[in-house]
Amino acid sequence: MTAPPPEPPAVETPTEDQLAFDVADFPGGIRGALEAVLMVVDEPVTTLALASALEQPIDAVAAALADLEQGYEEQRRGFTLREVGGGWRMYSRHEYAPVVEKFVLDGQQARLTQASLETLAVIAYRQPVSRSRVAAVRGVTVDGVIRTLLTRGLIEEVGQDEESTATLYGTTSYFLERLGLGSIEELPALAPYLPEVDVLDEIAEGGRG
């Protein structure tokens, strides 16, 4: 008889003790911890949210953010930290716009992956649409793909959802130019094959439950 295949190892969910930390134990302290978080966010994060994540007093976090912003300015780093719309986020410094623009334009010569094409199609036909709704349609996380499409100049932020405050995305004029279209209305009739917005909401809610 053929032996049954071995069972896959169990994946343990980290406990609260395993997730516990003290920013004082990090080499860079509170400022290093802030940098680590700000490097992975796609949207501005409030001081309160950062203080909650780091489990630090809001005044201490506000002071550390100000120190980081000043330090980047004094060191003339290629990036800066700015407070925009009530939240903090890393940005490329405007003096380096020429090299960033060249990098972006050179990157546009490469072909998009299948994942990027699928995500772009969902945004094109359902815009303005939030990241969570796009992820609900594709059934996978789309954070990295969204960043790629933003970098390529094919999509852009077009506002915020009034209820959830989530960032909404839409296609750009460059997208229309690349497809040889005069407007979004000229897209092929593919929309009927995509779930309606209310269905996407139900899927997204179910995924968060």
Side-chain angles (χ1 to χ4, degrees):
M1 296 178 61
T2 303
E7 296 184 0
V11 178
E12 297 183 0
T13 302
T15 64
E16 290 187 7
D17 289 340
Q18 291 173 319
L19 294 175
F21 60 84
D22 185 343
V23 294
D25 295 333
F26 297 139
I30 186 172
R31 288 185 293 181
L34 284 170
E35 288 178 320
V37 172
L38 291 168
M39 287 297 293
V40 300
V41 301
D42 295 311
E43 300 174 0
V45 184
T46 65
T47 305
L48 178 60
L50 290 169
S52 176
L54 270 61
E55 301 179 356
Q56 294 293 306
I58 191 169
D59 290 344
V61 171
L65 288 167
D67 287 344
L68 286 173
E69 182 179 24
Q70 181 179 354
Y72 296 153
E73 179 65 29
E74 293 175 348
Q75 297 169 29
R76 308 305 298 169
R77 303 298 295 268
F79 56 88
T80 185
L81 178 63
R82 295 205 306 266
E83 185 176 17
V84 178
W88 293 87
R89 183 180 179 186
M90 298 282 196
Y91 293 89
S92 296
R93 193 176 295 279
H94 67 86
E95 292 97 325
Y96 297 93
V99 67
V100 173
E101 181 179 2
K102 183 179 185 302
F103 174 78
V104 171
L105 293 177
D106 287 348
Q108 289 172 356
Q109 304 304 317
R111 290 185 178 182
L112 291 174
T113 64
Q114 185 65 30
S116 296
L117 289 172
E118 292 174 1
T119 301
L120 181 58
V122 175
I123 294 174
Y125 284 99
R126 285 301 178 197
Q127 60 185 302
V129 64
S130 67
R131 188 189 308 263
S132 63
R133 290 182 178 177
V134 176
V137 173
R138 296 205 57 238
V140 295
T141 301
V142 296
D143 293 359
V145 179
I146 291 289
R147 285 195 294 270
T148 296
L149 295 176
L150 285 169
T151 300
R152 297 286 186 93
L154 295 169
I155 65 172
E156 61 186 348
E157 298 180 2
V158 296
Q160 286 188 322
D161 184 270
E162 294 182 358
E163 295 183 1
S164 66
T165 71
T167 299
L168 299 177
Y169 297 93
T171 52
T172 63
S173 57
Y174 177 73
F175 166 80
L176 295 175
E177 177 186 335
R178 295 292 292 176
L179 267 66
L181 303 175
S183 68
I184 291 299
E185 286 70 26
E186 296 181 17
L187 283 170
L190 179 63
Y193 298 97
L194 294 175
E196 296 297 332
V197 171
D198 55 350
V199 175
L200 299 186
D201 287 336
E202 293 178 6
I203 296 175
E205 288 295 334
R208 290 193 290 268

